[in-house]
């Protein structure tokens, strides 16, 4: 673990990749040859709450080494380092689901051909929304936050989200976790010393507004921010990856979310034993990354309808 924390060069590359402009990426893609590619050459990684794109810092060079361009965008306004967000979390307080989705769609719609989308935690819910909106050639969601209508709420999840939900005033705040809360929710499968290193490396406050709105969405009539059409036959294939020891988004949440999908396209669930919520960073992440990419490569779906929904 200590080696991970010393990889400053790798982190610099993460930030550079996250800030690459879509137009630059599209130009590079189209400049490779006269014949447009028919399979994805780009992977978009969407981070979750209480972390930043830094949580993908090992996946980016790993997938680049396999020949893919990799984008790991931050949420709008959060294109700064973890340390800066912890010092001044006001940017997080302003976040909304609509702003995040608009930001991600602006990036993804310019990637040609449609990319493979991967999201962790809240990023998993955002990937589900992107797929429903017609983006992406395949979607992988890891320990995903639930989309609207998923009512399963295990006790471990309630305990993990209690730091936000215990006070309605947190709706207007950026809410951080203590180390003990982080250890329970994110890194419960590793020792205390290693967990603390992950905490110091990755933890930032989360938007109380979005967490609260996600809960309230199930009790407000009409589609809310994390709504998806579970009957959308046109969306790309979707895989839920679940950590068996995840306290924050347990396997029962992943299975329930997957069962909501009634469309004719592919929806599957894969559970990894012994894995906690911070799966993209915890030991054994390579096995997850390989499985995710292999599954996506076997299930990619590209047709005229998916070529660029913004221009259809």
């Amino acid at each position: 673990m200590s080696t991970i924390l010393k990889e400053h060069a790798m982190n610099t590359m993460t930030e550079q990749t996250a800030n690459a402009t879509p137009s630059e990426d599209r130009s590079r893609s189209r400049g490779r040859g006269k014949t447009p590619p028919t399979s994805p050459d780009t992977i978009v990684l969407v981070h979750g709450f209480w972390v930043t794109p830094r949580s993908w810092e090992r996946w980016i060079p790993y997938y680049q080494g396999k020949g893919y361009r990799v984008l790991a965008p931050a949420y709008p306004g959060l294109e700064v380092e973890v340390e800066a967000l912890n010092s001044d979390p006001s940017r997080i307080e302003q976040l909304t689901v609509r702003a995040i989705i608009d930001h991600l769609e602006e990036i993804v719609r310019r990637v040609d051909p449609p990319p493979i989308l991967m999201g962790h935690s809240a990023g998993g819910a955002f990937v589900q929304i992107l797929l429903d909106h017609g983006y992406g050639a395949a979607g992988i969601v890891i320990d995903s936050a639930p989309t609207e209508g998923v009512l399963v709420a295990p006790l471990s999840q309630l305990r993990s989200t209690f730091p936000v939900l215990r006070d309605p005033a947190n709706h207007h705040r950026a809410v951080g976790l203590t180390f003990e809360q982080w250890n329970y929710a994110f890194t419960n499968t590793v020792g205390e010393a290693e967990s603390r290193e992950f905490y110091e490396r990755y933890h930032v406050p989360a938007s109380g507004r979005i967490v609260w709105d996600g809960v309230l969405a199930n009790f407000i009539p009409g589609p809310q921010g994390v709504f998806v059409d579970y009957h959308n036959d046109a969306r790309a294939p979707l895989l839920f990856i679940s950590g068996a020891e995840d306290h924050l988004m347990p396997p029962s949440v992943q299975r329930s979310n997957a069962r909501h999908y009634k469309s004719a396209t592919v929806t599957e669930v894969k559970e990894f034993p012994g894995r906690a919520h911070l799966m993209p960073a915890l030991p054994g992440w390579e096995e997850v990354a390989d499985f995710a990419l292999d599954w996506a490569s076997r299930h990619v779906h590209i047709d005229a309808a998916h070529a660029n929904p913004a221009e259809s």
Side-chain angles (χ1 to χ4, degrees):
M1 177 59 193
S2 297
T3 301
I4 299 175
L5 304 188
K6 294 176 181 177
E7 294 173 338
H8 299 303
M10 181 179 295
N11 179 55
T12 299
M13 181 168 55
T14 302
E15 299 301 332
Q16 290 174 341
T17 305
N19 292 328
T21 65
S23 58
E24 291 171 345
D25 295 321
R26 182 175 57 178
S27 297
R28 287 199 295 270
S29 173
R30 288 179 172 170
R32 291 173 180 170
K34 294 180 179 180
T35 303
T38 56
S39 61
D41 63 357
T42 302
I43 299 171
V44 178
L45 302 173
V46 183
H47 66 93
F49 284 175
W50 286 291
V51 297
T52 71
R54 187 184 284 183
S55 61
W56 296 113
E57 62 184 339
R58 294 193 135 190
W59 291 52
I60 294 171
Y62 192 68
Y63 281 155
Q64 287 173 331
K66 295 178 181 294
Y68 287 88
R69 293 179 299 131
V70 183
L71 303 178
Y75 298 156
L78 272 60
E79 299 88 352
V80 296
E81 293 285 3
V82 166
E83 293 74 14
L85 290 172
N86 279 311
S87 296
D88 178 11
S90 59
R91 300 163 182 252
I92 299 171
E93 296 172 358
Q94 307 304 317
L95 282 176
T96 64
V97 171
R98 184 68 265 166
I100 294 172
I101 295 299
D102 287 348
H103 178 67
L104 294 175
E105 288 185 351
E106 179 65 19
I107 293 171
V108 173
R109 73 162 52 97
R110 301 191 206 178
V111 179
D112 182 22
I116 296 169
L117 305 178
M118 298 186 185
H120 172 237
S121 196
F126 300 147
V127 163
Q128 292 184 63
I129 295 171
L130 292 175
L131 293 177
D132 184 42
H133 290 185
Y135 297 98
I140 313 291
V141 297
I142 303 169
D143 296 330
S144 179
T147 45
E148 193 169 325
V150 178
L151 299 176
V152 172
L155 288 176
S156 69
Q157 185 182 49
L158 296 175
R159 175 178 169 181
S160 298
T161 55
F162 182 70
V164 178
L165 302 179
R166 65 182 176 183
D167 185 353
N170 284 336
H171 187 275
H172 306 290
R173 298 169 178 158
V175 183
L177 302 176
T178 65
F179 167 69
E180 289 73 21
Q181 292 165 344
W182 163 274
N183 186 41
Y184 180 80
F186 277 76
T187 55
N188 48 295
T189 58
V190 300
E192 179 176 340
E194 191 171 10
S195 177
R196 189 174 293 280
E197 289 187 75
F198 282 118
Y199 179 70
E200 294 173 354
R201 177 69 179 163
Y202 297 123
H203 170 265
V204 297
S207 165
R209 179 203 308 267
I210 296 179
V211 175
W212 263 102
D213 287 351
V215 173
L216 296 175
N218 288 323
F219 305 98
I220 300 174
Q224 303 298 309
V226 290
F227 170 84
V228 298
D229 178 4
Y230 295 119
H231 297 269
N232 181 1
D233 291 333
R235 72 156 170 80
L238 170 62
L239 172 68
F240 287 81
I241 290 182
S242 176
E245 305 303 323
D246 185 350
H247 285 164
L248 182 56
M249 299 295 168
S252 59
V253 174
Q254 310 307 308
R255 293 192 295 268
S256 177
N257 200 155
R259 284 195 300 268
H260 275 67
Y261 282 96
K262 307 299 182 185
S263 55
T265 189
V266 175
T267 304
E268 295 182 357
V269 179
K270 167 66 176 179
E271 184 172 315
F272 280 82
R275 308 302 174 95
H277 188 68
L278 194 62
M279 200 183 300
L282 292 173
W285 61 269
E286 300 97 327
E287 181 184 7
V288 180
D290 286 339
F291 186 92
L293 183 57
D294 178 68
W295 189 94
S297 299
R298 289 185 287 107
H299 291 85
V300 290
H301 175 74
I302 298 176
D303 57 25
H306 280 78
N308 190 340
E311 297 175 357
S312 61

